[in-house]
Amino acid sequence: MKGIVFTEFFEMVDKMFGDEMSDKLIENTDLPSNGIYTAVGTYSHSEIVALLFKLNEYTGVEIGVLLNTFGKYLFDTFLKGYPGFFEVADNAFDFLESIQNYIHVEVLKLYPDAQLPKFSTEIKDESTLEMVYESDRKMADLAEGLMEKSLEYYKENAEIIKRPMVEDHSKVLFIIKRKG
């Protein structure tokens, strides 16, 4: 997993729970990296999972809620760092459709070893987009936070319905329906 995920995670933790929480997480979680991350480094996915479980233990906030919140936080990071990704679309549906075949292609040019989730999309009608998320990392809640923030960014009123397609949540169907 790319280091930017870790550095941004700790920035979010600092903002939400204070610097002391970040220190507590690093000191009390078994991390092969010893909690030393650079944005361009690559680290084991198991470390972010361990940090999420420890943050849940300390705060009582459900892991799904933490991941969703982190997805929203990452959206703002991506918007600042890669504004061009958002300029190619006039609306949330076009943006979400661009993730797999444009954004992820560009990300892999920058970070060839990045392991990205797979998204397939299908527009059902002018008000309904279906997205299928697939990843062995099972972070659909993070993807949902990114989707929610993209709807907000493009000023679209829509609901997101999430349906796991397999029991372990490694494949999840998102139905995004515009309202009004």
Side-chain angles (χ1 to χ4, degrees):
M1 183 167 275
K2 296 313 293 177
I4 191 170
V5 173
F6 292 88
T7 59
E8 292 302 311
F9 175 78
F10 280 109
E11 282 188 28
M12 181 194 77
V13 170
D14 288 348
K15 287 180 181 173
M16 289 179 65
F17 304 105
D19 297 348
E20 301 81 21
M21 181 61 75
S22 289
D23 292 340
K24 190 174 176 181
L25 288 173
I26 290 169
E27 291 169 9
N28 297 302
T29 308
D30 183 24
L31 303 168
S33 70
N34 295 314
I36 301 169
Y37 305 104
T38 64
V40 295
T42 301
Y43 307 93
S44 172
H45 167 256
S46 64
E47 289 195 34
I48 198 76
V49 172
L51 289 163
L52 282 161
F53 273 93
K54 191 63 77 172
L55 185 59
N56 162 262
E57 177 184 321
Y58 290 148
T59 65
V61 179
E62 292 178 22
I63 290 173
V65 172
L66 291 170
L67 278 169
N68 183 285
T69 302
F70 185 43
K72 292 174 183 170
Y73 186 88
L74 276 178
F75 183 92
D76 290 334
T77 300
F78 296 154
L79 182 59
K80 288 177 199 157
Y82 308 98
F85 290 165
F86 303 88
E87 296 166 0
V88 298
D90 295 328
N91 61 72
F93 280 18
D94 288 347
F95 172 74
L96 293 170
E97 277 198 301
S98 77
I99 292 172
Q100 184 65 36
N101 295 320
Y102 172 64
I103 294 172
H104 281 182
V105 170
E106 295 301 315
V107 168
L108 287 171
K109 288 178 187 176
L110 296 170
Y111 307 104
D113 61 340
Q115 296 175 346
L116 304 170
K118 180 181 176 202
F119 290 96
S120 51
T121 58
E122 182 179 354
I123 297 224
K124 292 298 196 178
D125 56 48
E126 64 185 36
S127 64
T128 308
L129 171 69
E130 290 188 356
M131 289 187 78
V132 175
Y133 161 94
E134 291 182 70
S135 175
D136 292 338
R137 294 185 172 158
K138 304 170 187 100
M139 293 188 157
D141 291 319
L142 187 144
E144 184 178 27
L146 287 163
M147 289 174 204
E148 289 171 356
K149 195 71 174 190
S150 69
L151 290 167
E152 182 182 314
Y153 174 78
Y154 289 101
K155 297 176 176 56
E156 296 210 34
N157 185 16
E159 69 174 323
I160 299 175
I161 301 161
K162 180 171 55 174
R163 294 188 181 144
M165 299 175 79
V166 293
E167 191 174 328
D168 72 356
H169 292 240
S170 61
K171 187 173 184 179
V172 176
L173 170 65
F174 290 95
I175 303 166
I176 305 160
K177 293 186 174 201
R178 289 182 173 130
K179 297 179 183 178

